[in-house]
């Protein structure tokens, strides 16, 4: 039985897992992303972490068939190069070459939101669906599209990047991407905290409430605070609108919502569904289910393992 | 050498052509869509028209390998049934069964905008591109997506229906689909005429100008009328915005604009491109070319022929 080493490089931690060829997480470990984010150093830590998991599980190194790595970045996937990962400070890093040098195993890299989509469509909320859009709503908003089990990347890896749907044509907030009015300026965790802080300043949210994460706003809303409820309903409405725009192009059978903001569960899902039904034509609405992600923080490492397995299958077919 | 019989059923005329397996239009004919639009009667006329073209060209019936038909409708493609074609008054018409009964040949049906996209991506403006979005901007706005030469229909045939992107969330015009604020309420030929008529009422377009088609507005704009120019620039800006939203999901390498409104050529294309660059992230803009359609009114029949050829290839592969 083959296992795959799935890695999800984030701005604060590097999550890793040993994943079976059936999508089971056999073991997982994470380590903090060093301030330096030196790639060589990070690769060595990835290797130590793998060996620790192999010792824990009694699996031999020979059973590890490949490595998949997700990075919050624009990538040249075929060259194996990270073009730009802003949160890591990486530019033009030949990540695949570096990791192959360290591990002597096949390595596949991909954008982290794409891998979360691949994981969810493989063994998560999108399982068994042919056309899956997965939106990862956290600090920003990422997205990925999986068609018949394979990532659909578009021409240069930007397909499904719904965080940058310009949903406010005029007078929108400025986005990290340089445009204004992007979806992620209105319904990411960052946007939720900004809006809640505004309402706190005008007394609609208690002045002693701590607002450091979107979770704080969900907790307030759950406790009955009207201001916090309004913030979540607004964000969810924008998200549902953005998903309707995407579904009008893609006509998917499943939309999966993951990321930190999805922990709000039904407080998010119900107004998202309402906005989706308002802004997509009935035939698209009828075809599309919207669900919360099922794999939680594991989606990225599971998707990374799946990518590695698919790379191996494609290679075997060519040989 | 095989030829295919391509048919494009419209609200006013039925266009037909004999198309070679390389996409050349060998002969074409059309007949007016009868007021009755009786399906049996129309099928008989299709057969007479085919035989007339075979006589004209000296091609034998035995060389006709299949028939493709485009209909302005929602379809159940696998069942070969037109679910609803509003302009034709057809509901639940088993079109494939009827045509097979008349022709004794394989018949494939598809939405007309999807076939225009397939034609343009096969031998038109999208030729050689892997991910093509084709927008047909006429009385309404249709769209189709072609990935690596094959139609991408989405889950129930709605993929690429960009006419129903809700680009005005509030206070939009009512659309035929029942929603308000759809893209086609702002930049279809219908929308262009409506806007021009508004400006005529307030003196910005000469009161003696005849405004029966979008072409009239293009002619006025070309002659230097500022009001007409404004109407076209506005419509083009909305279209470019809608295309940016679609490209943010799809990340295509080519967007083809066809249909009657595309006859405005650069007066349309230049402001479309400007809006596209404003509302899509640079990496998406960089990957995407926007071009005018190359096949004109033939796109539908050529795409219909291509669909038939692909159906045949798929069948041969299975046998």
């Amino acid at each position: 039985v083959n296992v795959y080493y799935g890695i999800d490089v984030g701005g604060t931690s590097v999550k890793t897992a040993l994943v079976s060829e059936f999508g089971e997480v056999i073991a997982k470990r994470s380590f903090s992303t060093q301030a330096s984010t030196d790639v060589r150093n990070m690769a060595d830590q990835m290797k130590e972490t793998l060996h620790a998991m192999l010792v824990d599980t009694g699996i031999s190194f020979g059973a590890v068939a490949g490595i998949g790595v997700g990075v919050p970045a624009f990538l040249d996937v075929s060259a194996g190069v990270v073009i730009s990962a802003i949160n890591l400070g990486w530019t033009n890093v030949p990540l695949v070459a570096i990791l192959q040098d360290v591990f002597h195993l096949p390595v596949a890299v991909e954008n982290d939101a794409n891998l979360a989509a691949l994981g969810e469509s493989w063994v998560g909320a999108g399982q068994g669906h042919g056309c899956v859009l997965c939106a990862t709503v956290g600090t920003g908003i990422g997205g990925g599209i999986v068609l018949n089990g394979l990532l659909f990347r578009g021409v240069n890896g930007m397909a499904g990047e719904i965080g940058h749907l310009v949903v406010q044509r005029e007078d929108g907030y400025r986005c990290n991407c340089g445009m204004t009015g992007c979806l992620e300026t209105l319904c990411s965790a960052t946007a939720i905290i900004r809006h809640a802080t505004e309402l706190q300043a005008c007394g609609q949210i208690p002045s002693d409430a701590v607002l450091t994460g979107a979770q704080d706003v969900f907790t307030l809303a759950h406790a009955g605070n009207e201001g916090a409820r309004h913030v979540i309903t607004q964000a969810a409405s924008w998200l549902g609108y953005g998903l309707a725009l995407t579904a009008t192009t893609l006509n998917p059978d499943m939309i999966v919502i993951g990321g930190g903001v999805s922990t709000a569960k039904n407080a998010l899902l119900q107004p998202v569904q309402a906005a989706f039904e308002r802004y997509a034509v009935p035939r698209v609405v009828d075809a599309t289910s919207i669900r919360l992600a099922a794999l939680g923080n594991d989606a990225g490492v599971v998707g990374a393992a799946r990518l590695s397995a698919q790379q191996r299958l494609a290679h075997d077919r060519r040989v």
Side-chain angles (χ1 to χ4, degrees), chain A:
Chain A
V1 175
N2 290 320
V3 300
Y4 295 89
Y5 186 31
I7 303 173
D8 184 5
V9 180
T12 54
S13 74
V14 177
K15 300 183 187 73
T16 78
L18 279 179
V19 180
S20 81
E21 58 190 328
F22 308 109
E24 298 145 321
V25 174
I26 300 166
K28 57 182 173 177
R29 286 197 176 213
S30 62
F31 57 88
S32 83
T33 309
Q34 295 299 317
S36 74
T37 64
D38 175 75
V39 182
R40 262 285 170 186
N41 177 36
M42 192 185 282
D44 290 338
Q45 284 187 273
M46 287 171 180
K47 190 171 187 180
E48 284 167 33
T49 307
L50 171 61
H51 283 289
M53 289 194 289
L54 293 174
V55 169
D56 286 351
T57 57
I59 294 171
S60 72
F61 182 80
V64 182
I67 300 174
V69 189
V71 185
F74 295 142
L75 298 127
D76 182 336
V77 166
S78 55
V81 172
V82 175
I83 297 170
S84 167
I86 293 169
N87 290 339
L88 301 168
W90 292 359
T91 306
N92 293 321
V93 171
L95 186 61
V96 166
I98 291 168
L99 293 180
Q100 280 175 342
D101 195 44
V102 169
F103 287 96
H104 304 287
L105 280 173
V107 177
V109 294
E110 186 48 83
N111 171 271
D112 57 350
N114 279 355
L115 290 188
L118 190 58
E120 285 289 344
S121 68
W122 183 29
V123 291
Q127 191 175 5
H129 293 268
C131 180
V132 180
L133 171 78
C134 187
T136 303
V137 187
T139 310
I141 298 182
I145 295 168
V146 181
L147 303 180
N148 298 319
L150 296 173
L151 259 180
F152 174 73
R153 312 185 72 256
V155 164
N156 61 355
M158 296 296 283
E161 283 299 335
I162 65 167
H164 302 292
L165 286 167
V166 177
V167 292
Q168 287 192 312
R169 288 179 91 223
E170 312 285 347
D171 304 322
Y173 292 96
R174 182 151 293 278
C175 183
N176 287 333
C177 74
M179 300 196 297
T180 58
C182 291
L183 188 66
E184 74 174 36
T185 69
L186 292 159
C187 50
S188 62
T190 314
I192 286 170
I193 296 163
R194 186 202 61 228
H195 192 185
T197 306
E198 285 169 8
L199 294 196
Q200 192 175 40
C202 61
Q204 292 181 258
I205 287 177
S207 58
D208 60 347
V210 177
L211 299 172
T212 53
Q215 189 60 55
D216 299 326
V217 185
F218 305 151
T219 305
L220 279 169
H222 191 70
N225 179 265
E226 282 303 321
R229 281 190 181 174
H230 174 70
V231 169
I232 292 172
T233 305
Q234 282 278 99
S237 175
W238 279 113
L239 181 58
Y241 174 59
L243 294 176
L245 293 174
T246 298
T248 300
T249 296
L250 192 66
N251 187 204
D253 50 351
M254 177 59 75
I255 295 176
V256 178
I257 304 174
V261 170
S262 69
T263 56
K265 298 216 166 92
N266 282 330
L268 181 83
L269 205 51
Q270 190 270 330
V272 163
Q273 180 73 37
F276 187 78
E277 290 178 12
R278 178 170 174 192
Y279 295 116
V281 290
R283 203 171 148 83
V284 168
V285 171
D286 291 348
T288 315
S289 302
I290 305 180
R291 287 211 200 131
L292 296 168
L295 302 182
N297 287 330
D298 292 347
V301 291
V302 169
R306 180 61 174 164
L307 183 75
S308 177
Q310 289 179 334
Q311 183 191 50
R312 189 189 151 101
L313 284 169
H315 178 265
D316 287 354
R317 239 176 258 128
R318 278 197 303 273
V319 172

